[in-house]
Structures are given as structure tokens and as C-alpha cells.
Amino acid sequence: MLRRSANIPRTTLSLSRSTAPAARAFTKPSLPVSASSQLSKSNVLLELDVNKVGNEIRKRGLTSALNGQRDGGMDRDTIIRLLYSLGSKHEVERYLRIFTQSSQAGATGAVLPEAKFAVLKIGGAILTNELDDLALSLSFLNRLGLYPIVLHGAGPQLNELLEAEGVVPDYEDGIRITDAKTLAIARRVFLQENLKLTTALERLGTRARPIPTGVFTAEYLNKDKYGLVGKITSVNKAPIEAAIRAGCLPILTSLAENAEGQILNVNADIAAGELARVLEPMKIVYLNEKGGLFHGVTGKKISTINLDEEYDALMKESWVKFGTKLKIREIKELLDTLPRTSSVAIISTDMLQKELFTDAGAGTLIRRGYKLYKQPSVEAVGSTQLRQIFTDRDPEVKSGRKSVAEIFSELKNSPHTIYGDEPFDVVAVVSHPEGETPVMTKFLPSRNGILNKIVDNVFDAIKKDHKRLFWTAKADDENRAWHFERADGSFTRAGRSLFWYGVPAVKQVETIIQGFEENGRIERVFLPVGPSVPPHRIASTGGARAFSTSARPSASSASTSSARRGYATATDVPRKRVALIGARGYTGQNLISLINAHPHLDLTHVSSRELAGLPLKEYTKSDVSYSNLSVKDVGKMAEENEVDAWVMALPNGICKPFVDAIDAATSKGGKSVIVDLSADYRFEKDWTYGLPELYGREATKTSTRISNPGCYATNTQMLLAPLMPHLDKHQMPSVFGISGYSGAGTKSGEKDAEGRPKTVAKVTPDDLRGGIRPYTLTDHIHEREASTQLRTLLPSSGSASEFSLAFIPNVAPWFSGIISVLTAPLEKTMRASEILALYEEKYANERLCVVGKGVPDVTEAEGKHGWRVGGVQVHSSGKRVVVVGALDNLLKGAATQCMQNLNLALGYDELDGIPLDKL
């Protein structure tokens, strides 16, 4: 076991998973080490080539696709694939899921989910010069099931017609003075442009509904000064909702009416803002010909503006004046009233898809962002707040390896800076002794900090202050791609990866690391320096998911870099649908309870032959009734992708026809995940065996066929895994297990008052007469299951392939909970403290694992979602160890483990929906 220096901790980067699939990972072109440098350069060139040709591919392909769709030629999936020319498949599918599920939890009477997607404000010049491109982009979004609410202006067209009729346009304070004649012409122009756009959409087979009036109510802004110009007082959503319900894109103008029915002219940008305040969309998009905001000095397009952090400084810039200052101020006032998930994009028509569906974006993105701080000491930040952050998030503190007091003491002994944001969603510590290279030793984000990209903002702040930086992370960190994206170079040794930026040559890296060694600032195992292979394009190879992508440059840098901005659009995590086949048993009932508490999963189907037609009372998110799904029903549902995941909670030997039906649907476009709770597929090589604590998470994340381990087998493997390298190869370990009677399964009993068959245990305490009953004394299936899987933890050799264990199961008169006693012969003499240390090290970062010194009691495990181990004792010979493990057979032995596997396969945090206060 490697020990770090006591002087400075290795970097803690406890970054949890993302609600979305992996984004592309590139190492920067300047990376100095080995083949990774060449790979990164080729990847960057490839990205530039895609950007260059992607728009032309899109225009040609989408035109063909939309025409084909109108004639019944191309399906939705074909159209989606055309987006892959703009970004990675995972980027596109992530944003599509977010947009199409943006308001699943809307209350009755709330605005339609489709209306939560985006409000698009279209400049009049675009209707004249880019009508075909605009119609193509809007039609494309609609074919994806999205309903952008379009509000257009007509300024240039109005000016042209006014001049033709001898009316000279007149403005006051930038507002068009509108008399009766001007308003009459304006109404005619707005109607003409509105119909022109709806006609162009309908030519592409997209239904559109013109709504020139009836949405905005206004009062006179200042009748004496501006004439018939209105100030919006309310927004009527009914015409918009009616259009969307009819399957039409709503096409609005900025004309309003007052209480007396007088039509009033309203600025289109202001109208779009008022519309957004009512609808609270994820995106407010302003389409213009320039395609964004441009820096007044450098002339470069501004990629991203984080208002909370940059607004004050930006408004003091000499080039920010007149119309630019007004627009930025209005956008800030708008976003201040909206959820932080909302953002504004200023973009050209031909880049709309790239802006919406890729991390790189294309125009100028404006979001609220977060206020950041940096302080030189714990006291300057606030020791009380920091103490809580370290207690809740730091793995060293949570595992008991260090106390918060020890960490605070270490910080006092070395110059450092603490970075973070005001709500403490991210805390980072950078150690920087005088004249030495800085090391980032802590990086502790909350879930909100990850989802809202504060992690990127804090890292950018660190990078501004430190031209070079080193940090480390676990080699198997599921977020490795995030580190690689931010590093100029890296390599991995002894289970940890070292990252750095700002150092141009390997020799210089070696010199710096040698200095770290001498001063005890980093692990010795990193010398000599050697290259590692970063997970470039990790998303396309099914590797680890990156919870984030690099933030685009800020307004101050105004860079045209292609760096991505991450989830700039929204933080809503896509919801997934689950079907449960076999819901009557104890495990099914526990799984229903977990899904009911899950923040992102919806139970849409529960199948039970005996309960068909009865309501599922235990599920409160929505009204669900039991059904009796046939194999044919399941196959059809899978083919049409009606659910995202199937859970088979059926007895052994029953689920194969259902699995075969879903497999057959896969060849026709079905994409659903299966988690099987029976033993039917635990020995199939093309199924993933889902015990995350022992066999890793990566395979499960990319798998669609997952076999849930058995309850006894889980307890047995967790007990034996830390000991595998130390077992006597010539003697067999044995496990004596006792389970509550719920483990024997259920049967139908008499019906209750509603006609429901009662679920009763097959074996009852009365049957057992208060005693313990051994059964299947040899060759129990869990014995074979545990032996087969544990072999994979040993080197491929004759002894490993011959590994086996003995298992004796028993049933007891308590309801749930398993206690297993392991007796294991050891290869060499060991002490109990050494054995306990093996368990502590193995399960130090596993939140569902509790390692203790005392013997765990079955009552401590009943109703709990975790696994407990303890009671380590070594025989006086030093060559035989006894260890005790306990878990609830219905939870960590079944339903909880199933939820872990579902979360991993569907892209959620592994512990979502699992009550962590019941471990």
C-alpha cells in the first residue's frame, strides 16, 4: 500500500459522474510527451476539418432528410445522425435528451414541456436574406420533437416600405416613433413576413401557426413622446400552447394590444425577453447576421460571458458602449429573473444546430455564472464553512485517514490559496511555496458545482494565477477525461495519474518532480517520468464518462479557440423510463420504493400476472397500474424504445423469452438496457456481471445487458476479495451463510379486500420452528457463481483457474438479512491488524461498505443498503483467518445493487435514489 508524504496530501478530486454521456477529450497540441502528442495533434486537425465541412454537410443532408421525412422517406434517427457531422455522437444525444425532457416535472396547468425548450428572436434582415436556411433549421428542430417559439422582427422591411410611401422613419432614444400610419404599415409588414416564414416551413412539411397578435398585452410606453408604442404588461400563453398541442411551431410578432384593443408596436428584443420571463426556457436565442458579439478592440468573436463574474469589468471596457452596452444590460436583467439553467445565445442562422447540440457552440453564449473568491487562508474563507465542506466531500476525511484539523494544520505550514465560489459549490486548494511549482492538492465540488460548470470556472481562475500546475488523480477515476482535457501532459504509475500544464519539456517535468520528492510534496513513485496514453476520443470507445468539458474562453480573452464550454445550456438531468417485469415479490417491492425516490427515473410499466389491472399504490410519482406483459408486448415496446431500461425480477429460468424478444428488437433499432436479477445470465460472457465494488464500473457504464449478482454470492465475494492474493492455494476457503426467510422467495396467498393476492413467504418462521435449516449443502449455485467471479481477481495461471470455495447456506426465522462467516487458510502467517488493513484499503472509498472491528450483527444489516464486515480474527497459528460479513438480501443483495447497476448503465450517479442515511 502506497503512503503519501505527510507534508502535503495528494490531490483529492472527488468528481462525481455527469447526467450526460462523455464528451470528446483532446490533449492540447503542445503536449510534449510521446505518442499522446501526435494523437492530440491529429485529433485537433480532425476537429478543424469537421468544423470546416460540417455546415455544408448539414445543409445538404438536412434538406434531403426533411424532404424525405415529408414524403415518408427518412426516420428521426436518420435525421439525428446528420448532426454527428457537427460534434460527437454523445454530445448530440446528450443535448437532445436534455432539450426533449426539459420540463417532465411540470405541474398541472404549467406551460407545455415543449415550450420550455427555446425562445428564438429572429431579426428582420434574416427573413429577407436567410429565409431558406432559417426554415431549414427550424424544420430540423421540429423533426427532432422540439418546438422553438419563434418571435420575429421586421425592421428593415418596415423602413423600406415606409420610405416607399414617403414616410421618414423617426426615432427617439433608439425607439421608433409610431403614429397611426406607421402602425398600419407595420401591421401589414409583420403579417406579410409572418406568412412568408410559415409558408417556407410548410414547404418543408413542417406545420407552423402564424400568431401575429393576441400574445402580448401592453400599456402606452409614453404616448405623447413615442406614440403607439407599448410597454408589455402581461403575456398570454394560450395561443402558444394551443399551437404546440396541435403540432405546430408558433410564429409570433412583437405587436401588442392594450386593454381597449388598440394595437401597439413593441421592440422585438424586449418582447422576446418578456416571453422568456413567463416561459422560463432553457435557451433564449437571438439570431443575427453577425453570429455573435465581437470584442471592440481585438475584433474577435466573444465565445462566453459569465455575467456574475465578468459583468462589472465588462461594462467598464471602453469598447462596450451604446447598443452593445444596452444589449448586455438587458440580457443581464433578463437572466437575473430566470433559473440558472437558462442562457442566452447570439448566433447566426447557419450555426444554430452547432450552437445547440455541441459543447463547442458557435456564437456568443451569455449565462449568469457564479461569483468566485480566492483567499490565502482558512480563516479568510471561513473555518466553519470549510470544515463542513471537508467533512462532507474530502475522501481522506470521510474514510477516516485524516481529520479536518490535520488538514487545516498542514495548510498553515505551507503557502497556499483557497479558490471557490460564494455558495461553496467548489473548493480548491493550491499549494505554492516561494520559488516552487504550484500543486493543486484539493478539488472538492458538490453535485451542483459539477452540473453548473463551476468546476470549470474555478479551474480557469487557478490557471489565470498559475502559469504552471501539477495535480494527481486515481488512474481509474471515472472522470479521467476531464483531467486530460485540462493538462498539457500526463502519465500513470502505481494506480495514480500525474497531470500538468505549462511545462514544455519532459526533462523539465522530471526536474520539477525531483524537487517535489526532495521536499515531500508528491509521491516518489512518479520517477522516472514515462508517458501514458490519455483517453482521447474516450466517448467513442465506450470508456469513462467525462463529467464536464472545458469552458469556452471568457469575454476578456475573446478567443476564437474551439475549446468546449460544457453544459452551458442547462443543468436538467434527462429522465429515463423503467419497466419492471415481476413486481409482486419482495425484491420487486423494494425496487419500486427505490425508483419512487429516484430523482431521475420514472417507473412506467410494472408487470405481474396476478395483479394485472390493479393500481400500484406504492408508487407516488404518477398513476401506474399493474399489467400482464406478454413476450410479444415486451418485444414491441423494446422495438419502439418505449422504455430505457428493463428489470427482470423473475425466478430462475423464466426470463429468457423476454430477453430474447428485447435482443431481437435491438437489431431493429431498440436500445434499452436489461438488468436481470435471476441467475440465468451470471455465467454468460457477453453479459456484464454487476458488482461495482469489485469488478469496476466502466464495463457496466457501457453495457446494455447486466446480470445482478446473487445475495449470498455478493456477501461471499466481498468477504474474499481483499484476501485473494494471500490465500493458501492448496486449501479451500469456506463460507457458512445464514439468511432470513425472505431469501427463500414468495408465493401467492389469500386475497385482500381489494382482490389483491397477498404476497407471503414460501418459508415462514412457523415452518422453521424457531431454528435454522441448512439446505443445498453442496454445489449451491452461489458457490459456483462466487468461485467463477473471484477467479478473475487472480493472475491468469493454473492456480487461479482452479480456485474454488465451499459454501453452506442456511435459512433462519428472521425476515431479511444475511450473515456469513468466512474461514480462509492463508499462504503465510499474518496478523489480524494486517487483515483488517486489507479490508480498509480495499473499501476505503466505497460509500456502501462499512468496515468495523466488531462482529457485525444481522440486525444491523436488516433494512440497510450497505454491506458490513468485521470480527477479523486470526488463528493462533497465524495461518487461518475468520471474517464476518452482513447485508440485507433484499437490498444490497438485490434491489440496491440493481439500482447501482441501473444508474451506471443509464449515466447517473451510482448512488442516485439510494438512501445514504440507511447504510
Side-chain angles (χ1 to χ4, degrees), residues 110 116 198 203 396 502 530 574 613 688 704 719 742 801 818 830 881 909:
K116 299 281 283 187
T198 55
R203 280 200 302 266
E396 288 191 310
T688 300
T704 59
L719 278 169
S742 62
S801 62
I818 287 176
M830 298 183 72
V881 64
D909 187 283

Side-chain angles (χ1 to χ4, degrees), residues 140 142 188 219 478 515 519 614 695 713 814 891:
F140 177 76
N142 187 236
R188 191 164 75 245
E219 59 186 23
E478 62 180 344
N519 296 323
L614 295 172
Y695 306 110
W814 59 75
L891 297 177

Side-chain angles (χ1 to χ4, degrees), residues 551-765:
R552 293 199 295 178
S554 65
S556 58
S557 63
S559 172
T560 56
S561 165
S562 61
R564 296 183 301 283
R565 65 179 177 222
Y567 298 159
T569 325
T571 60
D572 297 54
V573 179
R575 304 188 71 80
K576 299 291 178 69
R577 303 154 297 175
V578 177
L580 176 58
I581 309 298
R584 184 178 59 79
Y586 293 135
T587 298
Q589 292 171 4
N590 278 281
L591 195 54
I592 289 169
S593 176
L594 289 174
I595 296 174
N596 194 46
H598 198 287
H600 315 304
L601 287 183
D602 295 317
L603 184 61
T604 57
H605 299 81
V606 285
S607 181
S608 172
R609 178 176 53 83
E610 295 178 88
L611 298 175
L614 295 172
L616 179 61
K617 294 182 178 179
E618 298 85 352
Y619 188 74
T620 60
K621 289 183 183 179
S622 62
D623 293 331
V624 177
S625 294
Y626 288 96
S627 57
N628 182 18
L629 296 177
S630 67
V631 171
K632 184 177 180 181
D633 294 333
V634 168
K636 185 65 175 176
M637 291 168 61
E639 186 175 336
E640 295 177 359
N641 288 309
E642 288 188 26
V643 299
D644 300 293
W646 301 85
V647 176
M648 302 294 171
L650 296 166
N652 294 344
I654 302 296
C655 72
K656 187 177 187 302
F658 294 96
V659 171
D660 289 344
I662 298 170
D663 285 342
T666 302
S667 64
K668 301 177 183 179
K671 302 174 182 176
S672 48
V673 169
I674 303 175
V675 179
D676 178 28
L677 273 62
S678 77
D680 292 6
Y681 294 91
R682 290 175 190 159
F683 303 93
E684 297 291 334
K685 291 183 179 180
D686 54 348
W687 281 61
T688 300
Y689 187 79
L691 210 174
E693 290 86 353
L694 297 187
Y695 306 110
R697 276 92 176 169
E698 299 310 317
T700 306
K701 288 178 181 179
T702 58
S703 178
T704 59
R705 300 293 181 265
I706 302 161
S707 180
N708 214 60
C711 52
Y712 270 128
T714 296
N715 207 11
T716 297
Q717 292 173 82
M718 298 287 281
L719 278 169
L720 273 163
L723 299 176
M724 292 300 288
H726 307 282
L727 295 178
D728 188 331
K729 298 178 178 59
H730 306 291
Q731 298 185 65
M732 183 185 295
S734 64
V735 175
F736 183 87
I738 310 174
S739 171
Y741 61 84
S742 62
T746 63
K747 62 182 179 180
S748 297
E750 61 185 33
K751 295 184 178 180
D752 63 16
E754 296 180 350
R756 295 169 177 262
K758 293 181 179 179
T759 298
V760 297
K762 288 181 180 179
V763 177
T764 68

Side-chain angles (χ1 to χ4, degrees), residues 311-463:
Y311 178 76
D312 291 338
L314 184 62
M315 296 299 274
K316 293 176 184 177
E317 293 276 354
S318 60
W319 57 272
V320 178
K321 51 189 176 182
F322 309 127
T324 301
K325 179 169 285 191
L326 177 63
K327 183 175 286 291
I328 294 173
R329 182 183 296 118
E330 289 176 346
I331 289 173
K332 183 182 188 303
E333 291 173 355
L334 170 61
L335 289 178
D336 281 346
T337 66
L338 297 178
R340 285 194 182 268
T341 54
S342 298
S343 61
V344 169
I346 302 174
I347 190 68
S348 61
T349 305
D350 61 342
M351 286 294 179
L352 182 59
Q353 280 79 30
K354 185 172 178 60
E355 173 67 26
L356 294 177
F357 293 103
T358 70
D359 289 333
T364 298
L365 176 79
I366 304 176
R367 56 189 174 188
R368 288 171 66 186
Y370 292 83
K371 284 274 190 181
L372 303 182
Y373 67 81
K374 58 180 180 180
Q375 295 292 348
S377 67
V378 169
E379 291 73 23
V381 177
S383 59
T384 301
Q385 294 94 326
L386 279 184
R387 178 175 295 279
Q388 191 62 49
I389 298 301
F390 279 94
T391 300
D392 293 342
R393 302 180 198 165
D394 193 318
E396 288 191 310
V397 175
K398 292 171 68 176
S399 67
R401 292 196 299 271
K402 278 196 173 184
S403 67
V404 177
E406 286 180 285
I407 293 174
F408 283 4
S409 177
E410 289 173 355
L411 290 178
K412 289 181 179 179
N413 295 330
S414 174
H416 63 275
T417 300
I418 302 173
Y419 294 81
D421 66 315
E422 289 180 346
F424 288 92
D425 281 319
V426 176
V427 171
V429 178
V430 176
S431 167
H432 47 80
E434 184 73 27
E436 296 186 31
T437 299
V439 175
M440 183 167 67
T441 61
K442 299 287 182 185
F443 200 76
L444 306 173
S446 69
R447 180 181 180 82
N448 188 60
I450 294 166
L451 291 176
N452 285 309
K453 315 318 297 171
I454 310 167
V455 286
D456 295 330
N457 293 345
V458 170
F459 192 85
D460 288 345
I462 292 171
K463 198 165 185 178

Side-chain angles (χ1 to χ4, degrees), residues 455-530:
V455 286
D456 295 330
N457 293 345
V458 170
F459 192 85
D460 288 345
I462 292 171
K463 198 165 185 178
K464 286 180 183 178
D465 290 347
H466 303 286
K467 301 305 180 185
R468 58 174 64 180
L469 186 75
F470 282 71
W471 72 96
T472 68
K474 281 187 173 182
D476 60 354
D477 191 323
E478 62 180 344
N479 301 305
R480 282 182 84 208
W482 187 87
H483 307 293
F484 278 102
E485 287 180 19
R486 285 149 186 78
D488 287 341
S490 66
F491 65 91
T492 299
R493 184 161 301 129
R496 294 195 71 80
S497 295
L498 176 71
F499 300 92
W500 69 87
Y501 67 73
V503 184
V506 172
K507 288 295 183 184
Q508 194 173 357
V509 172
E510 288 185 334
T511 301
I512 291 171
I513 295 176
Q514 189 171 2
F516 289 159
E517 256 194 33
E518 293 170 355
N519 296 323
R521 299 187 67 206
I522 209 162
E523 299 93 333
R524 290 179 176 272
V525 295
F526 285 114
L527 283 176
V529 173

